[in-house]
Amino acid sequence: MAAKAKTGFSGLDKSKTLAENTVNAGPVVLDSNVTFTAASPDILSRGFFLVDVANYNEHDHFYLKDGGGIKVINGADFGSVYYNDVLVGAVTSGGPYISVTLEPGITEEAMTAMARAVTYYYDGDTPSAVGRVVTYRILNMSGAETSATMLLKLKPENDLPVFSGLDTQSVHSASQAAPGVVIDADVHVANPDLTGFKGGKLAVHLAGATATDQLYLSDGHFSIIGKKLYFDGKQVGTVSADGHNGHDLAFTFSAAISDAQASQLAEQVSYRSTAASALSGARDVTFTVTDAEKSSTSAHTTLVFEADAPTLLSASSIVSDPFATLKAAVSGAPDDLSAVFATLEARAAGLLEAASHAHGALGTDHLPDLHLPTAVVDYLDAIGSSLLDHAQSAHPALVHELSDRAQALAAHVHEVLHPVHGSADALI
């Protein structure tokens, strides 16, 4: 007697074990050899292809993958599934299931290709030892059903520790180098395996370090006493390199250290210089962390000390004294002179404020582009011409006094701007 032909899903592996890092990398086909044979002609009519999963969690994702004649075109709510360019169903997937509403007239060949397109992706780092029960199922609206199951297991693999929040550059002014700076106050360290850092290490290396370079811990939860590392007064490790005089700063953890605690330690790492001259240039700083499984990861930032920015000059600080004497002279003067002075004062204040901020933002090399000498000359000319035009005949004594004060103001403005711009001839 001939053997009875198998129907439904045949050849589906009863169990399968996938490595964690393999399914972290992208969707993996569960079984490329499974086939489907219909038990009755109508099993695929008005039917559904379902992939159900038991013992799943939020990190488990199932899809239909393009290939073997299958093509999925995703829309807003569902995808359209084609086999050799013929529409065979509408699919929803991505979570712990796949559901395909089958088109009438789908063939066994198309159904086999769809079963072989089932893929699995895991986006977590701590897979459960409990197997997922994956069921391939055809369900007809008349109640007919056929199914097969696979026990899917994940083999945990070690994940490297990770850094986040470490800035590309750690930029400071040159004057901060001597008192010291925190290199990065919001760097974060994590061990994705959730096993922490006991027995691990944190090391910091400054490229090109000399005897004037000092790495140390700023004030915080962690502190160093001799060769011992303490967390809130409890010893949690040893100091394997002290960071002094160009050496690395490195710690070995003897106690359980969580991700948060390892992050706090990295955030306290600081630098100062004992050099007699100001620092210049940029150097690479390497943070290396080793987790409980002895896996290491390094991350980098560039330590930069810039020349101190020019001090911004405010209009009030530049001209406060000359303005005060000018105001005193015009106090109680007739309205025509008071109005002239108020206009000129406002103009001068705006001019000097703009010059100050441009100087601070652009630096002295760019100041000539602002044509400040011309502006200053125009201002001084306006003082003289306005006073003469409006009041010389009516108030000769007061005009003489105001002219003297205006000259004093001009001299003061020149003294302020001269160091960053040029000679007196360029201004007046």
Side-chain angles (χ1 to χ4, degrees), residues 247-307:
H247 294 141
D248 290 354
L249 181 65
F251 309 98
T252 300
F253 305 123
S254 57
I257 296 291
S258 66
D259 291 2
Q261 290 167 344
S263 300
Q264 289 172 328
L265 178 60
E267 291 169 352
Q268 286 183 233
V269 174
S270 304
Y271 169 85
R272 62 171 163 253
S273 172
T274 56
S277 58
L279 296 183
S280 61
R283 283 179 291 175
D284 182 80
V285 179
T286 303
F287 286 76
T288 301
V289 65
T290 303
D291 63 18
E293 291 80 24
K294 311 304 181 185
S295 298
S296 297
T297 298
S298 294
H300 304 265
T301 185
T302 302
L303 184 61
V304 179
F305 286 95
E306 297 180 337

Side-chain angles (χ1 to χ4, degrees), residues 19-293:
E20 174 194 344
N21 292 341
T22 300
V23 291
N24 281 160
V28 174
V29 172
L30 285 187
D31 196 322
S32 59
N33 297 311
V34 59
T35 60
F36 179 80
T37 303
S40 61
D42 65 345
I43 187 69
L44 294 175
S45 64
R46 300 176 64 219
F48 302 89
F49 171 46
L50 306 174
V51 178
D52 301 321
V53 185
N55 302 327
Y56 65 87
N57 62 45
E58 69 274 13
H59 298 295
D60 296 312
H61 305 278
F62 291 81
Y63 303 90
L64 288 184
K65 182 179 181 179
D66 290 353
I70 294 293
K71 176 71 175 178
V72 179
I73 300 177
N74 290 307
D77 300 314
F78 58 88
S80 297
V81 185
Y82 294 83
Y83 176 65
N84 292 338
D85 299 323
V86 176
L87 181 66
V88 293
V91 61
T92 56
S93 62
Y97 69 91
I98 298 173
S99 176
V100 182
T101 302
L102 301 176
E103 288 289 310
I106 184 173
T107 65
E108 292 178 336
E109 181 184 27
M111 191 62 247
T112 293
M114 201 181 308
R116 293 178 178 181
V118 173
T119 59
Y120 171 70
Y121 171 66
Y122 179 76
D123 63 9
D125 294 304
T126 55
S128 170
V130 177
R132 293 119 172 101
V133 179
V134 182
T135 302
Y136 287 44
R137 188 188 318 273
I138 295 291
L139 179 62
N140 184 274
M141 293 186 68
S142 65
E145 178 180 352
T146 184
S147 64
T149 61
M150 169 192 291
L151 181 62
L152 176 62
K153 295 182 178 180
L154 297 186
K155 177 185 177 182
E157 293 184 309
N158 182 46
D159 295 294
L160 295 175
V162 295
F163 284 95
S164 60
L166 184 63
D167 295 332
T168 303
Q169 288 190 326
S170 180
V171 182
H172 312 274
S173 66
S175 60
Q176 294 176 289
V181 296
V182 173
I183 294 178
D184 195 314
D186 59 2
V187 58
H188 185 73
V189 182
N191 181 358
D193 297 320
L194 303 182
T195 53
F197 292 91
K198 183 177 181 179
K201 300 177 180 180
L202 176 69
V204 184
H205 172 74
L206 177 67
T210 68
T212 62
D213 296 312
Q214 317 296 325
L215 294 172
Y216 66 100
L217 294 184
S218 61
D219 292 340
H221 290 281
F222 284 89
S223 59
I224 298 172
I225 300 178
K227 291 294 185 180
K228 296 179 180 179
L229 177 68
Y230 291 85
F231 179 78
D232 288 342
K234 177 183 177 181
Q235 185 182 354
V236 294
T238 56
V239 180
S240 46
D242 61 15
H244 297 168
N245 305 326
H247 294 141
D248 290 354
L249 181 65
F251 309 98
T252 300
F253 305 123
S254 57
I257 296 291
S258 66
D259 291 2
Q261 290 167 344
S263 300
Q264 289 172 328
L265 178 60
E267 291 169 352
Q268 286 183 233
V269 174
S270 304
Y271 169 85
R272 62 171 163 253
S273 172
T274 56
S277 58
L279 296 183
S280 61
R283 283 179 291 175
D284 182 80
V285 179
T286 303
F287 286 76
T288 301
V289 65
T290 303
D291 63 18
E293 291 80 24

